[in-house]
Amino acid sequence: MNKIVTACVVILTLCALILGNHHWNQKISSVKAQEDPAKSEEMKQEEQPKWQKYAANLSAPLKEKIKEAQEGGAPLKLVAAGSESTSIQSTGWPALLQSKLDAAYGKNIFAIEVLSYPEGTTRTFLNENHMEDISKQKPDILLLEPFSLNDNGNVGLENTLLNLEEILSDIKQTSPEAVIYLQPSHPIFNATFYPKEVGALKEFAEEKDLTYLDHWTNWPDSKDEKIKTMLTEDQQTPNVEGNKVWAEYLASYFIKNEK
């Protein structure tokens, strides 16, 4: 009997020591977190839902809409508008981006609508008032590829930028809540003037305080013949491989720290 009592006392003593040690360690961790703001912030970030980490590049209003969508609200409408390079095909970069967004954020969080205007230019887009097509979609995000390649040699850089300014002015009036991103058309092999016009588009975006998504940084150098393996034979559109390169860049922006 004494042995049983002694064993119980030992077990209870060990339990008390273990619980006391655990409690003490928790108190120490709490004090350290208070003393070390960086550690405390790191702990907070670890507690964040994954989607908040993925959305680090996005504005506060977009994050709020993602939160609402996560809670069962309407998905964010992302309108991708541009030339034939902004393809409606299942192998196009918009469809590939949609798949990546679904995998990261979950389905019904982002809904991509593609407005593709084959052989379109900033001039035809403006003259045919396709800004109305965008406003009808009521976009939360507009990802605009403003016909960089099609305008090259047809419209003239000065006219391109004037047209684009008018297009954006109209979109901002009709879709004031839309977050607008500009991106160039795809690069082509060994071009001379085209890269300079794309450079001017980037400068234009900076002057207008618009985010410029420079997916060219994800492609081979335009002097590298490898780039031809990522385009159709006439270089007018990216092929399957080129669309993947384009989509990967955009995914790295809309899904920060994507693994």
Side-chain angles (χ1 to χ4, degrees), residues 27 86 174 193 196 249 258:
K27 287 186 71 174
T86 299
T174 57
F193 297 107
K196 294 178 182 178
Y249 175 89
E258 182 196 23

Side-chain angles (χ1 to χ4, degrees), residues 73-89:
L76 281 78
K77 175 68 73 69
L78 191 161
V79 174
S83 70
E84 58 268 42
S85 296
T86 299
S87 172
I88 62 174
Q89 302 300 319

Side-chain angles (χ1 to χ4, degrees), residues 11-42:
I11 291 169
L12 289 172
T13 302
L14 288 172
C15 288
L17 287 171
I18 292 168
L19 289 171
N21 186 60
H22 177 69
H23 177 69
W24 180 249
N25 286 336
Q26 282 189 321
K27 287 186 71 174
I28 290 174
S29 297
S30 177
V31 170
K32 284 184 176 179
Q34 291 175 4
E35 291 176 350
D36 186 352
K39 185 70 175 178
S40 179
E41 184 62 28
E42 184 179 328

Side-chain angles (χ1 to χ4, degrees), residues 200-216:
L201 174 64
K202 183 176 182 178
E203 291 177 3
F204 173 88
E206 291 171 352
E207 289 171 5
K208 301 300 179 183
D209 199 27
L210 296 171
T211 300
Y212 180 78
L213 298 179
D214 190 4
H215 62 89
W216 279 32

Side-chain angles (χ1 to χ4, degrees), residues 17 22 98 177 220 230 233 259:
L17 287 171
H22 177 69
Q98 178 75 74
E177 293 187 4
M230 300 177 176
E233 189 173 352
K259 299 299 182 185

Side-chain angles (χ1 to χ4, degrees), residues 152 187-188 190-201 216 222-223:
N152 174 247
I188 60 175
N190 207 26
T192 301
F193 297 107
Y194 177 47
K196 294 178 182 178
E197 295 184 352
V198 168
L201 174 64
W216 279 32
S222 61
K223 301 293 183 183

